[in-house]
Amino acid sequence: MRLASTLAALLAAGATLGAALPAQAAAPALQIVKIYYDSPGADRRSNASLNAEYVTLLNTTRKAIDLEGWSVRDKTGYTYEFGADAVLGPKKRITLRTGQGSDGTSSVFWNRKQYVWNNDQDTAYVRNATGKLVDSCSYKAASRSAYVTC
């Protein structure tokens, strides 16, 4: 009898402890996984240098995401909006490069002639087609790292 009541008390305590643990937040559907904010070499605005500055996004879901109208922007307000043909498959990544190029399934191009991401600090924001914030990633370059993983 005494063992049964002790066991019941332990189970109740365990249930209480389990309930006290915070729930983990679900990953956003489209997650920023990397910002390469300081392209290698001198910042001379060559297209190769501009394209070495990028943001990589991951579809964390098991379904394709139609990215039409979704946007990526920096703290200053430079904004890239995905077009009608942008569909990201389940668990796939897409890289948004700052410079010019031809969009494909794994990379799209901002088609800018100037850098977007500050070398010292910045924030990237992803918003869905209705404008709702889906994910963000901030960095402050304390060391000479050229990128941040989010």
Side-chain angles (χ1 to χ4, degrees), residues 5-82:
S5 63
T6 303
L7 184 56
L10 286 172
L11 287 174
T16 303
L17 289 174
L21 295 175
Q24 290 217 340
L30 190 63
Q31 184 174 30
I32 302 166
V33 293
K34 186 175 187 179
I35 304 171
Y36 206 114
Y37 55 83
D38 188 6
S39 59
D43 290 344
R44 293 205 169 99
R45 291 187 221 151
S46 70
N47 196 51
S49 179
L50 289 166
N51 282 333
E53 178 186 85
Y54 60 84
V55 175
T56 301
L57 307 169
L58 170 67
N59 175 352
T60 64
T61 73
R62 294 184 196 158
K63 296 180 182 176
I65 298 176
D66 180 355
L67 295 176
E68 181 178 4
W70 287 58
S71 65
V72 174
R73 71 173 275 256
D74 77 333
K75 201 167 194 167
T76 305
Y78 295 123
T79 304
Y80 174 85
E81 187 171 303
F82 287 92

Side-chain angles (χ1 to χ4, degrees):
M1 184 75 91
R2 193 167 170 195
L3 180 62
S5 63
T6 303
L7 184 56
L10 286 172
L11 287 174
T16 303
L17 289 174
L21 295 175
Q24 290 217 340
L30 190 63
Q31 184 174 30
I32 302 166
V33 293
K34 186 175 187 179
I35 304 171
Y36 206 114
Y37 55 83
D38 188 6
S39 59
D43 290 344
R44 293 205 169 99
R45 291 187 221 151
S46 70
N47 196 51
S49 179
L50 289 166
N51 282 333
E53 178 186 85
Y54 60 84
V55 175
T56 301
L57 307 169
L58 170 67
N59 175 352
T60 64
T61 73
R62 294 184 196 158
K63 296 180 182 176
I65 298 176
D66 180 355
L67 295 176
E68 181 178 4
W70 287 58
S71 65
V72 174
R73 71 173 275 256
D74 77 333
K75 201 167 194 167
T76 305
Y78 295 123
T79 304
Y80 174 85
E81 187 171 303
F82 287 92
D85 295 334
V87 176
L88 187 58
K91 305 294 183 186
K92 297 292 183 185
R93 294 173 187 248
I94 192 160
T95 299
L96 169 58
R97 298 184 182 278
T98 299
Q100 299 179 341
S102 298
D103 292 347
T105 56
S106 62
S107 285
V108 291
F109 295 84
W110 210 311
N111 290 318
R112 292 184 49 86
K113 294 185 179 182
Q114 295 182 14
Y115 298 97
V116 172
W117 307 106
N118 296 331
N119 289 351
D120 58 347
Q121 64 182 11
D122 211 335
T123 302
Y125 304 92
V126 174
R127 295 188 181 275
N128 67 16
T130 64
K132 181 181 177 191
L133 181 65
V134 175
D135 195 20
S136 66
C137 176
S138 296
Y139 61 88
K140 197 176 268 194
S143 66
R144 277 312 300 163
S145 178
Y147 65 90
V148 63
T149 53
C150 306

